Amino acid sequence: MSPQFPLTRRVFLGGVSALAATAVARPAAARATDPEVRLHWLDGRGGLHLRNLGVDLPAVMRDVARGEGIPLLDLTARSQALVEGLGEAASWPLYLTLAHDGVDDATHLSRYGAERYAALVADAVAEARSPLARFLRPGRLRR
């Protein structure tokens, strides 16, 4: 599936449903994650994740996972806790920045951000006692 913009609920749901069907066909290690948050601060809260069209991507992902019976690793809540715990200024290095990457981008992760978010996913996999946990190497991810 090629990206379609603007990303509407219908387009997102179609893509997620196709992925879910594949996961259901291979249930041994199937897990879903909802999206990580963007660096967006409003009224002292960080990491909101609503598209400019008002599509609540995490809610759509949770609905599909529940409907297909696929366990969900809640990356939205984990990443929001990380962003809010760091605070607005300290959260910027998680994302692409003008100083390091030549662009200010509150959506796409820097290498540092990808490593921190990978640790969130690994923690969720371990806590869920997923069969995937046997492939984790404790201490190898940046926290």
Side-chain angles (χ1 to χ4, degrees):
M1 183 176 108
S2 62
Q4 296 180 22
F5 294 98
L7 183 62
T8 63
R9 184 182 195 288
R10 183 184 59 77
V11 169
F12 185 71
L13 181 59
V16 169
S17 295
L19 290 172
T22 302
V24 168
R26 297 183 187 107
R31 298 295 180 270
T33 65
D34 47 7
E36 75 276 357
V37 296
R38 295 173 168 193
L39 187 62
H40 178 79
W41 288 81
L42 181 65
D43 298 329
R45 292 204 60 210
L48 303 177
H49 202 296
L50 285 177
R51 298 289 298 201
N52 58 355
L53 295 176
V55 179
D56 188 343
L57 302 180
V60 172
M61 192 66 206
R62 287 189 298 269
D63 289 347
V64 170
R66 186 174 30 257
E68 295 292 339
I70 301 169
L72 180 78
L73 306 176
D74 193 346
L75 186 55
T76 301
R78 289 172 184 273
S79 60
Q80 184 160 1
L82 172 64
V83 167
E84 289 183 353
L86 290 171
E88 186 171 4
S91 295
W92 266 108
L94 296 170
Y95 300 87
L96 299 178
T97 63
L98 193 57
H100 294 118
D101 309 292
V103 62
D104 278 332
D105 182 341
T107 299
H108 299 97
L109 300 172
S110 66
R111 180 181 175 135
Y112 167 71
E115 291 171 351
R116 293 293 304 264
Y117 279 39
L120 296 178
V121 172
D123 290 345
V125 166
E127 289 171 19
R129 296 195 168 120
S130 164
L132 298 172
R134 71 177 186 258
F135 298 105
L136 298 175
R137 294 173 139 172
R140 296 280 311 251
L141 296 172
R142 184 184 290 197
R143 287 182 166 70

